[in-house]
Structure formats: structure tokens, C-alpha cells
Amino acid sequence: MLLCIDTGNTNTVFSIWDGARFRAHWRIATDHRRTADEYFVWLQSLISIQKFDLNIDACIISATAPRVVFNLRVLCNRYFDTRPLVVGKPDCLLPHEPRVEPGVIVGPDRIVNTTAAFDRHGGNLIVVDFGTATTFDVADDDGAYVGGVIAPGVNLSLEALHMGAASLPHVDVTMPPKVIGTNTVNCIQSGIFWGYIGLVSGVVDKIRDERGREMKVIATGGLAPLFDQGFDQFDAIEDDLTMHGLRLIHDFNKENSDG
């Protein structure tokens, strides 16, 4: 079985691929202080609840929070007797090498997402990921990552608003009943919802204009369905895009190392 680990700035997701399908997905808060032993006890408990054998023989890691990688490597080495692939490291081969400025390090999550989106939807893509940051990743016609856009994430914007204006309450992210709010909560919801609708639409239009071609827009992240309702902003919403990309990159490395 393959253990796929996606470490973001806020959460870390563990998924187990049995060769035909993902058997499980588990999420934990990202914390660089968490040890390999703690990860294993947590994983072992969840696996025992679902009642299947823990037979991991390969691991792959994508981490936008580099400080956690050491303990994740120890987890894979100590408890699964395997040397993990880490996306972005020189020994991890990519199906499509990024075409960016020399010396630029591309976030591994962005490489993984464009790899998965290209596999499912072909080239000329914009992948919008609603995470801690809202990112727009552009894949060329051959699937290569060629650049993108980074904007503050929705929840990060809400947190910054609350911290900068303490009298404003925390609110749920939702589509408000009207654009013009008649109470504080609706005003904030309208600013966030319609602001991000405008952000996504505007950035996508600018990318298409700059590229001079039609491009599909693929969305991922928990808030993607919210910003698609009634507006048809996206050609597809993929909730498992990152895990699919990790599996593809693992398979690519296995095929090339075998051959």
C-alpha cells in the first residue's frame, strides 16, 4: 500500500492507496512539533477503527510547511521501513518539469495539483486551490507548470479582518441573501463572498487574456463548491486532486526507477 501525505500550512492529510482505490483519508492539524511516534500512534488508532491491515510499503510526501518533513521522514523510515519520496527534492522525478525562472522553487502542492489536473482534463488549465492561500496554477498544453498567482485565502482574510478590527465578529463563509448587507454579519459575508467571486473571475480572465487561448478552470479545496454555486465559474471541482497527483508522481518514479 502507498501512504500519501499532503502537508499544508493549516492541515496535514494522510491517505492510503491500495493499488486500486484510496481506502481512507485522515486529517490532522499541521504542527512541526509533532513527533514520528505521535504520528504513528494516531495513524494506528484510526486504522484499527476502520479494521484493515496497516501494510505500507511506499510513501510520498508533499509539504508546503518544510519544518514537518523531518518527522514525517522518520515516520516512514522507522515504522514502515521505507524511504519516502518528497516532492520538490532532486530525487523525486516529475512527469512534467516546471518552466519558470531559473532558481525559482515551486511549491510542491502546486506541482502535484497541476499534474493531477492534467491527467484528468488535459492541458491549458488553470487550477484554483482554496487553501490557506488561494492559488491559481497554470499548466501548459503539455501539462508543465508555467506559473501562477497567489492571493490570501478566504479564512486568512477573515482572520485578518477580525484582528485588524476587533469589534467585527467572526462569521461563517456563505453566500449572503443580498449584496447589500443590512447587518454586520451579512456585510462581512457579502464582502468575502462577492469579493472572492470577483477575485477568481478577474484573475481567470486576465490569465486567459495573457495566454491568448481558452483554458479550463479546475477548482479544489473545501470552499470550491461555495464559490461555484450558480455561477459556473469552474469546469470541474476535484476534492481529491492532491492525492491523485501524489499517486501519479509515485507511479512515475516507480516506473522510471524500474526501467
Side-chain angles (χ1 to χ4, degrees), residues 196-215:
Y196 272 84
I197 289 288
L199 170 69
V200 172
S201 298
V203 171
V204 165
D205 287 345
K206 288 294 185 183
I207 291 173
R208 284 172 169 161
D209 288 346
E210 190 166 281
R211 299 282 291 170
R213 65 190 75 174
E214 188 57 35
M215 303 181 75

Side-chain angles (χ1 to χ4, degrees), residues 60 85-98 111 115 245-246 248-258:
I60 184 168
L85 280 170
V86 180
V87 179
K89 298 299 182 183
D91 61 341
C92 181
L93 304 175
L94 300 174
H96 315 280
E97 287 295 328
I111 297 297
T115 297
L246 284 172
L248 291 172
I249 292 172
H250 167 266
D251 289 351
F252 181 78
N253 279 263
K254 184 177 180 182
E255 290 165 7
N256 280 269
S257 64
D258 288 347

Side-chain angles (χ1 to χ4, degrees), residues 179-197:
V179 176
I180 301 174
T182 54
N183 59 66
T184 302
V185 169
N186 283 166
C187 287
I188 296 172
Q189 288 173 333
S190 186
I192 292 295
F193 181 82
W194 293 111
Y196 272 84
I197 289 288

Side-chain angles (χ1 to χ4, degrees), residues 51-175:
K51 298 180 180 178
F52 65 82
D53 293 332
L54 182 59
N55 186 24
I56 305 297
D57 56 13
C59 301
I60 184 168
I61 300 168
S62 169
T64 57
R67 294 173 70 188
V68 305
V69 173
F70 175 78
N71 284 318
L72 290 173
R73 282 184 181 271
V74 174
L75 167 72
C76 299
N77 288 327
R78 179 181 298 166
Y79 290 104
F80 305 127
D81 193 27
T82 181
R83 183 173 183 269
L85 280 170
V86 180
V87 179
K89 298 299 182 183
D91 61 341
C92 181
L93 304 175
L94 300 174
H96 315 280
E97 287 295 328
R99 291 196 287 270
V100 293
E101 294 179 14
V104 170
I105 298 174
V106 181
D109 56 327
R110 309 180 82 179
I111 297 297
V112 172
N113 284 347
T114 50
T115 297
F118 175 73
D119 180 69
R120 288 179 170 172
H121 302 281
N124 292 318
L125 297 173
I126 303 168
V127 180
V128 185
D129 186 356
F130 292 92
T132 304
T134 299
T135 58
F136 300 76
D137 299 317
V138 180
D140 212 340
D141 53 4
D142 63 351
Y145 173 89
V146 294
V149 175
I150 301 175
V154 176
N155 289 317
L156 192 62
S157 296
L158 281 169
E159 186 65 27
L161 184 64
H162 178 70
M163 291 179 64
S167 62
L168 295 180
H170 284 288
V171 301
D172 293 330
V173 183
T174 187
M175 181 178 179

